[in-house]
Amino acid sequence: MNWALFYDVEMWTQIGISVGIFLLFLVFRKLFSKYIYSLILRLSNKAPTDMLRHIFVSFEKPLQWLFIIIGIEIASRYFPFRPAPDGLFNSFISASVIVLITWGLYNLASASSIFFSKVKNRFKLEIDDILIPFMSKAIRIIIVAISITIIAQEFEYDVTGFIAGLGLGGVAIAFAAKDAIGNLFGGFIIITEKPFTIGDWIMTPSVEGTVEDITFRSTKVRTFADAIVTVPNNTLANESITNWSKMGKRQVSFNIKISYETPKAKLLKVVRQMEEEVKGHSEVHPDSILVRFDKYQENGYEIFLYFFTKSTAWAEHLRVKEEINFRLIEILESEDVSIALPSRKLYASEPDEEKGSLPAPQES
C-alpha cells in the first residue's frame, strides 16, 4: 500500500473541495426547486396564455438534474484524478446535457396538441381532430431522432455510415417490421379518408364502441361494457366501418299487434291517432314517418310504426321512444282496444259417433 498517498494532505483537500462543491449544488438544486421554481410557476399562471406555463412545467425535472450535471462537472475540476479534458468524461457530460434538453422538449411536445388546437380554433383552420395527436407524436419522434444523432456525433460515431448501413439492410428491416409499417400506413389512411374521429361511435367486425385515441400503431375504442379494445390500424383500414355518430337522425321501428275482436272502425281510428301522435311529437324528425295497418298475423292485426328521433344520443333516443310508447298505450286504453295475446284452439271432447263430426273448438 502506498502510504504516501494516504498522508497526501493536498490530495485529500482537493477531494474534500470536490465533494463540497457537489453537495453545494445539491443544496442549490433543492432551494431552486422548492422556492425559486415554485415562484416562477405561480407567476406563469398569471400569463395571458398557457404556453409559458407548459414550457416551465416541461423543463422542471430536466433543470433539477442540470444542477447535478453542472455540480459533477465543476467538482471534477478539483478532483485529483480528473480524466483528460478531451476524453470520454466530457463526452458523457455533453451527452447528459443533450439528454436533458431532449427530455424537456419531449415533455413540451406533449403540450403541442393543446397549442395546435388553439391555433386551429383561433385561425379557423381545417385541421381534423385526428391529425393533431399525430402531429404531436411526430414532433416527439423527430426530437428523439435528432437527439440520438447529436449524441452519436459527440462520441465520434459515424452517423453517415450508420445511415448507409440502414440502406443496405432496409429490405430485411422492412420484412421484419411489415406489421408495424402496415399499421403506420393504416393510420395514414384513417387520417386522409376520415372514416371516424376521436369521440365517434363506430362499429366494425372487430369492435363496437367510442373512439378514445388514435396512434401510429393502433386505435383505442371504449366498448359499451366500459372496456378498452386496442385495434391495429391495419385491421381497421381493411374492414367495413359503420360510423353511427354521423347519423343525422336515429331510427325507431317496431310492430304492435291488436286483437282480432277490434272492429274495423276502431282499428282505423287507432292507426290514425297513433300517426298523429308520432307526427306531433316535437322530438321526432318530420321525414319518413310511417304508421300503417300492415299484416294479418296469427294472433291479431299488426300495426307497423317507423320514424326517426332528432337526437342520435342513445339516452335521448330511448327517452323519446318511451314517451311515445306510453302515449300509444293511452290511445289503446281510450279506445278500449286490447293487445293481441298468443292463443291456441283445442278440442276438449270426443267426436260424435252417430254423426261422425267434431265438437266446437274451445279457445284458450
Side-chain angles (χ1 to χ4, degrees):
M1 180 176 181
N2 192 346
W3 293 99
L5 290 176
F6 185 77
Y7 291 108
D8 191 340
V9 177
E10 183 179 355
M11 181 193 71
W12 285 107
T13 302
Q14 290 177 337
I15 293 175
I17 292 172
S18 297
V19 173
I21 290 173
F22 180 71
L23 293 176
L24 186 62
F25 270 89
L26 288 180
V27 174
F28 285 160
R29 174 179 179 266
K30 186 70 175 179
L31 294 174
F32 177 78
S33 61
K34 188 173 182 180
Y35 298 105
I36 299 176
Y37 211 80
S38 299
L39 178 62
I40 293 173
L41 288 177
R42 285 198 297 269
L43 292 175
S44 66
N45 288 332
K46 300 178 181 180
T49 63
D50 295 334
M51 196 61 197
L52 191 61
R53 175 174 173 78
H54 288 313
I55 293 173
F56 287 128
V57 171
S58 299
F59 282 90
E60 181 179 4
K61 292 295 182 182
L63 282 175
Q64 291 177 9
W65 279 95
L66 184 62
F67 275 91
I68 296 177
I69 300 299
I70 295 174
I72 292 173
E73 204 282 328
I74 296 177
S76 67
R77 296 178 185 179
Y78 297 90
F79 196 68
F81 308 108
R82 174 182 169 86
D86 56 348
L88 191 63
F89 177 77
N90 275 355
S91 296
F92 272 112
I93 293 295
S94 300
S96 300
V97 174
I98 295 169
V99 169
L100 294 180
I101 295 172
T102 304
W103 185 5
L105 293 175
Y106 188 89
N107 293 338
L108 187 60
S110 65
S112 62
S113 296
I114 302 173
F115 172 75
F116 288 135
S117 298
K118 288 185 176 180
V119 170
K120 171 190 171 183
N121 296 331
R122 182 176 180 82
F123 297 100
K124 298 181 179 179
L125 300 176
E126 294 295 329
I127 301 177
D128 194 83
D129 290 338
I130 297 178
L131 191 58
I132 292 176
F134 266 86
M135 293 169 66
S136 177
K137 291 178 177 67
I139 291 174
R140 285 184 173 188
I141 292 174
I142 293 171
I143 290 172
V144 172
I146 294 174
S147 174
I148 292 173
T149 303
I150 296 173
I151 292 173
Q153 290 176 346
E154 281 291 329
F155 289 96
E156 298 181 354
Y157 187 82
D158 186 6
V159 180
T160 306
F162 175 71
I163 295 174
L166 286 180
L168 293 174
V171 176
I173 294 173
F175 182 77
K178 60 180 181 178
D179 290 338
I181 295 173
N183 291 327
L184 180 62
F185 279 101
F188 282 120
I189 291 173
I190 290 172
I191 288 177
T192 53
E193 294 189 359
K194 300 178 183 178
F196 56 83
T197 187
I198 294 174
D200 283 357
W201 166 26
I202 65 170
M203 182 179 70
T204 74
S206 301
V207 67
E208 180 179 6
T210 304
V211 179
E212 286 208 346
D213 189 23
I214 302 170
T215 64
F216 285 105
R217 179 191 171 277
S218 60
T219 297
K220 293 182 179 179
V221 180
R222 185 172 294 278
T223 65
F224 297 124
D226 204 32
I228 287 289
V229 178
T230 302
V231 185
N233 287 332
N234 190 32
T235 302
L236 278 179
N238 290 290
E239 289 183 335
S240 59
I241 301 172
T242 302
N243 191 333
W244 294 111
S245 295
K246 299 300 182 183
M247 293 185 297
K249 50 190 178 181
R250 192 160 182 175
Q251 178 183 316
V252 178
S253 176
F254 61 95
N255 299 297
I256 297 178
K257 292 181 184 179
I258 62 175
S259 172
Y260 273 131
E261 297 177 357
T262 306
K264 174 187 172 183
K266 277 194 176 182
L267 175 62
L268 180 61
K269 187 176 181 181
V270 165
V271 171
R272 294 296 173 260
Q273 286 183 5
M274 288 182 175
E275 184 177 16
E276 291 173 5
E277 173 60 30
V278 175
K279 287 183 177 180
H281 200 287
S282 60
E283 294 180 78
V284 171
H285 200 282
D287 296 339
S288 303
I289 296 176
L290 297 174
V291 181
R292 294 289 182 268
F293 166 39
D294 186 35
K295 296 177 182 178
Y296 296 93
Q297 292 286 40
E298 179 183 357
N299 303 319
Y301 304 119
E302 186 172 271
I303 302 173
F304 173 66
L305 294 95
Y306 178 89
F307 56 92
F308 292 85
T309 59
K310 292 180 180 179
S311 174
T312 59
W314 191 38
E316 288 297 308
H317 170 80
L318 290 178
R319 182 184 60 79
V320 175
K321 187 176 177 181
E322 181 187 57
E323 289 179 2
I324 292 175
N325 282 337
F326 278 127
R327 180 59 188 137
L328 296 182
I329 292 175
E330 292 176 3
I331 292 173
L332 294 175
E333 288 178 348
S334 65
E335 296 299 326
D336 196 23
V337 173
S338 59
I339 299 291
L341 300 175
S343 62
R344 292 182 178 179
K345 293 184 178 180
L346 303 176
Y347 296 93
S349 59
E350 295 294 330
D352 190 333
E353 294 182 357
E354 295 182 358
K355 297 184 178 180
S357 60
L358 294 173
Q362 296 181 358
E363 188 172 328
S364 62

